[in-house]
Amino acid sequence: MKTSATTDTTLPVPLSVPKKTRLYRISRDLRMNKYLYIMIIPVMAYYFIFEYGPMYGVIIAFKNFSPMKGILGSDWVGLQFFRDFFTSMYAWRTIKNTFLISLYSLLFSFPAPIILALLLNEVKNRLFKRTVQTISYMPHFISLIVVCGLVVDFTQKNGLINDILYFFTGERILFLQKPEWYRTIHIASGIWQQVGWSSILYLAALAGIDTEQYEAANMDGANRWQQMLHITLPGITPTIVILFILNIGQMMNVGYEKVLLLYNPLTYSTADVISTYVYRAGLQNFNYGYSTAVGLFNALINLTLIISANYLSRKVNDTSLW
């Protein structure tokens, strides 16, 4: 008589562990990391008070704001200020200038610290390397007002640049009165001031690359150029992509401070940007609703650009901000 042996294939039931509630996990985390949360309170307070709080004022873009009536008491005008801006003679000029200055900054200012970091990475003499780093960092700590003052002094008729130009060509150029020269001066002075400081992030990324990769490549006969192309650049690519996305998000956000210090009515055709136009319309002409509408339009463009750049980056190389 055959007896069929039955095998029990059921898995053992694990001991039941009581589930922690979300409130308990949060309170436990607060207790364990209370000092870290205390340290972050000033940062959160700053953003809530100075960044998120003022967003309430965006309502002014849709109202005929009167300081006597206040934000809530002012009359609604809907999209009137947006229509006024797009039909004005300044809309195309300010949008074009803002876009071109940002585009040239992206083309010339963005690669400059990468190139400097790569060059410094190839330097073997530590003393020379640190000297170059220190000299390139120094302009970052100079006030923007001082930098613009230096630019004005160097580019004036009897300035250093014109003295050098006169020595070679016998001519002098009033650079800051020529609209065609403004963008070059703006971008070049920005590179001089920020190239060293911006290279710090790339130098830090270069320091994190495994040196064994260079040793293996050297054993395989790769020269320095090939090592840079196949090891160094791929090693800092995530850093480059993240900073590129952040720069894309700021493309239409050319700061007004430097432009105000360098431009004049003769160079409005190439120097006047959205931020300076908002400054004149809001603070000089007291048209608060109109200037808020123009600023909101600029912010929406920046938001669209950074979301689009982040999406494309995530699709292309799986590197993104979020």
Side-chain angles (χ1 to χ4, degrees):
M1 181 179 178
K2 285 186 178 181
T3 59
S4 60
T6 58
T7 305
D8 188 8
T9 58
T10 58
L11 297 174
V13 180
L15 295 175
S16 60
V17 179
K19 294 183 178 179
K20 298 178 180 179
T21 62
R22 178 173 298 183
L23 182 61
Y24 173 75
R25 290 198 300 268
I26 293 175
S27 62
R28 182 172 178 270
D29 185 63
L30 288 173
R31 287 196 305 271
M32 293 179 61
N33 304 296
K34 57 183 178 181
Y35 295 111
L36 294 178
Y37 287 111
I38 292 174
M39 291 174 62
I40 205 174
I41 286 176
V43 179
M44 295 179 63
Y46 168 81
Y47 278 98
F48 277 111
I49 295 173
F50 297 105
E51 300 293 338
Y52 292 103
M55 290 177 68
Y56 166 72
V58 172
I59 302 175
I60 298 176
F62 308 95
K63 288 194 168 192
N64 185 17
F65 176 71
S66 171
M68 297 295 295
K69 296 180 180 179
I71 295 178
L72 296 179
S74 299
D75 300 327
W76 285 95
V77 295
L79 301 176
Q80 180 62 43
F81 291 137
F82 293 93
R83 288 192 291 266
D84 292 345
F85 173 65
F86 289 119
T87 55
S88 69
M89 60 179 291
Y90 304 108
W92 168 244
R93 185 182 75 180
T94 55
I95 294 174
K96 174 187 174 183
N97 292 338
T98 304
F99 177 77
L100 287 178
I101 291 177
S102 298
L103 180 63
Y104 294 152
S105 296
L106 200 64
L107 292 176
F108 299 103
S109 300
F110 182 75
I114 302 175
I115 296 172
L116 177 61
L118 292 174
L119 292 175
L120 289 175
N121 188 57
E122 299 298 322
V123 175
K124 301 304 179 183
N125 189 318
R126 285 192 173 185
L127 179 61
F128 178 77
K129 181 177 181 180
R130 290 178 180 177
T131 302
V132 173
Q133 285 180 282
T134 303
I135 294 174
S136 63
Y137 295 164
M138 289 175 64
H140 171 78
F141 300 99
I142 301 177
S143 170
L144 182 61
I145 296 176
V146 176
V147 171
C148 292
L150 292 173
V151 171
V152 172
D153 289 339
F154 288 162
T155 57
Q156 64 183 351
K157 188 174 182 179
N158 296 320
L160 176 63
I161 296 177
N162 265 311
D163 288 343
I164 297 173
L165 185 65
Y166 182 79
F167 178 80
F168 288 101
T169 64
E171 298 180 357
R172 295 181 182 270
I173 300 175
L174 297 175
F175 290 98
L176 290 179
Q177 296 181 20
K178 301 288 185 180
E180 62 271 18
W181 278 101
Y182 177 80
R183 292 171 187 152
T184 303
I185 295 172
H186 187 103
I187 301 302
S189 60
I191 293 175
W192 173 78
Q193 186 180 14
Q194 298 296 338
V195 64
W197 184 258
S198 300
S199 66
I200 293 177
L201 289 174
Y202 300 107
L203 289 170
L206 288 170
I209 299 177
D210 189 1
T211 56
E212 292 183 358
Q213 298 184 46
Y214 292 105
E215 294 173 359
N218 193 28
M219 292 178 62
D220 291 338
N223 56 34
R224 298 300 299 176
W225 176 255
Q226 292 171 331
Q227 292 178 29
M228 185 185 69
L229 287 179
H230 300 288
I231 299 176
T232 306
L233 280 177
I236 64 173
T237 295
T239 303
I240 295 175
V241 171
I242 294 299
L243 293 177
F244 181 77
I245 294 173
L246 292 175
N247 277 267
I248 288 290
Q250 298 293 322
M251 274 200 67
M252 298 297 289
N253 195 25
V254 178
Y256 68 92
E257 299 94 344
K258 187 174 182 178
V259 180
L260 284 176
L261 292 169
L262 292 179
Y263 82 158
N264 57 71
L266 294 176
T267 58
Y268 275 178
S269 59
T270 58
D272 193 23
V273 294
I274 292 178
S275 58
T276 54
Y277 181 64
V278 169
Y279 168 80
R280 293 200 307 275
L283 295 182
Q284 293 185 346
N285 299 331
F286 305 104
N287 197 345
Y288 303 110
Y290 180 78
S291 62
T292 304
V294 178
L296 180 59
F297 160 74
N298 191 32
L300 290 176
I301 293 180
N302 285 330
L303 178 63
T304 303
L305 288 173
I306 194 170
I307 291 176
S308 302
N310 188 75
Y311 174 79
L312 291 175
S313 176
R314 188 171 62 248
K315 290 294 184 182
V316 173
N317 57 16
D318 295 329
T319 302
S320 61
L321 287 173
W322 65 86

